[in-house]
Amino acid sequence: MKTPIALMMLALAALASPPACARQAPLVDLQVQDLDLGHTLPWHPHRGRHYVEGRPGHRYSLVLHNTTGERVLAVVSVDGVNAISGETAGTGQSGYVLGPWQRLEVRGWRKNLSEVAQFHFTALPDSYAARTGRPGNVGVIGVAVFRERQAPAYPSYPAPIARQESRGSGKPGHASDAAAPSAESSRMDQGLARQQVGTGHGERRWDAATTTRFERASRWPAQTLQLHYDGTEALLARGVLPRRWPHYRDAPEAFPIGFAPDP
């Protein structure tokens, strides 16, 4: 019996002929897990986009959940960089193959079939994209999802009876494409605050994967997810977070709740 690790597979770039691609139902849910806080980061809608708050120094992972009974391919982009190959991201590149109903946690930049360099929030100049000369798309996570061309060897499976739903599913943006922002709102966002936080190239950790073949049903994704992130101050300046967001303090407090820590 194979271990669950064997289900984490990289897809070879095999493309089928491109039929017309109609808008389809969501295939994959995306969540961002703060590994230091131990919880899923909430999504904050703002002017047609969705944001999560990234705290510098915190490690994070991307949790992908295949909501179908078929295999799908998820091409993952972080800061405009492919999370597997390190190339400037494009939808025709390699990605992760998720089995029917599978939940997969992507914890970092893949270095080989045994290791990843952990994702962590960091100052923009220290991000992997900026350090490799590509700072222009820092602050956005993307997933392009492809259906598989009909393959008799991989039939469709029914959903497990007691399948646990992803936290936050059903909220705007969790299982559907994020609406594209207008040009005016993009200019306003840029004027209010510059991007402050990016994703760093962290310590290596063991994270096994294997390769597999996957023939795409179309050259175009059946689903595209886009999620933005930044630090607290930048999100406050853009109006994404309210000024009294719990992680933000306007001034020191004389009587904060708590006990005296050791010096």
Side-chain angles (χ1 to χ4, degrees), residues 66-72 98-103 155-158 160:
N66 181 3
T67 64
T68 76
E70 303 173 356
R71 295 204 314 170
V72 296
L98 280 71
W101 313 108
Q102 185 184 354
R103 180 182 180 274
S156 177
Y157 295 91

Side-chain angles (χ1 to χ4, degrees), residues 86-110:
E87 301 171 277
T88 298
T91 59
Q93 297 168 350
S94 296
Y96 286 99
V97 173
L98 280 71
W101 313 108
Q102 185 184 354
R103 180 182 180 274
L104 173 65
E105 192 169 10
V106 181
R107 288 180 173 244
W109 309 101
R110 183 152 294 281

Side-chain angles (χ1 to χ4, degrees), residues 8-29:
M8 189 186 301
M9 298 178 289
L10 308 181
L12 302 179
L15 299 177
S17 56
C21 183
R23 187 177 182 85
Q24 301 183 40
L27 307 177
V28 169
D29 278 334

Side-chain angles (χ1 to χ4, degrees), residues 61-241:
S61 65
L62 305 178
V63 181
L64 308 177
H65 178 210
N66 181 3
T67 64
T68 76
E70 303 173 356
R71 295 204 314 170
V72 296
L73 169 66
V75 180
V76 180
S77 165
V78 177
D79 294 349
V81 179
N82 185 291
I84 291 175
S85 67
E87 301 171 277
T88 298
T91 59
Q93 297 168 350
S94 296
Y96 286 99
V97 173
L98 280 71
W101 313 108
Q102 185 184 354
R103 180 182 180 274
L104 173 65
E105 192 169 10
V106 181
R107 288 180 173 244
W109 309 101
R110 183 152 294 281
K111 308 307 295 182
N112 50 54
L113 292 178
S114 301
E115 295 177 306
V116 296
Q118 290 185 308
F119 293 143
H120 66 95
F121 295 117
T122 188
L124 190 151
D126 294 329
S127 66
Y128 179 55
R131 291 173 62 189
T132 54
R134 298 169 289 180
N137 293 299
V138 170
V140 63
I141 296 163
V143 181
V145 185
F146 293 84
R147 291 184 180 275
E148 187 171 22
R149 193 172 186 182
Q150 289 185 356
Y154 298 100
S156 177
Y157 295 91
I161 295 175
R163 179 168 62 90
Q164 182 177 359
E165 297 295 337
S166 298
R167 256 185 299 182
S169 61
K171 294 182 180 180
H174 281 270
S176 62
D177 298 352
S182 66
E184 181 180 359
S185 66
S186 297
R187 286 194 297 271
M188 290 178 68
D189 279 352
Q190 292 170 5
L192 286 169
R194 293 181 180 276
Q195 182 74 26
Q196 296 180 358
V197 172
T199 296
H201 184 280
E203 295 182 359
R204 292 199 184 195
R205 71 180 302 274
W206 183 81
D207 195 310
T210 60
T211 59
T212 187
R213 291 197 62 84
F214 184 98
E215 189 171 4
R216 308 175 196 216
S218 169
R219 290 182 180 271
W220 297 277
Q223 178 191 10
T224 303
L225 292 168
Q226 185 164 284
L227 175 63
H228 295 259
Y229 69 89
D230 208 342
T232 306
E233 297 294 333
L235 295 183
L236 284 165
R238 294 191 189 114
V240 177
L241 301 179

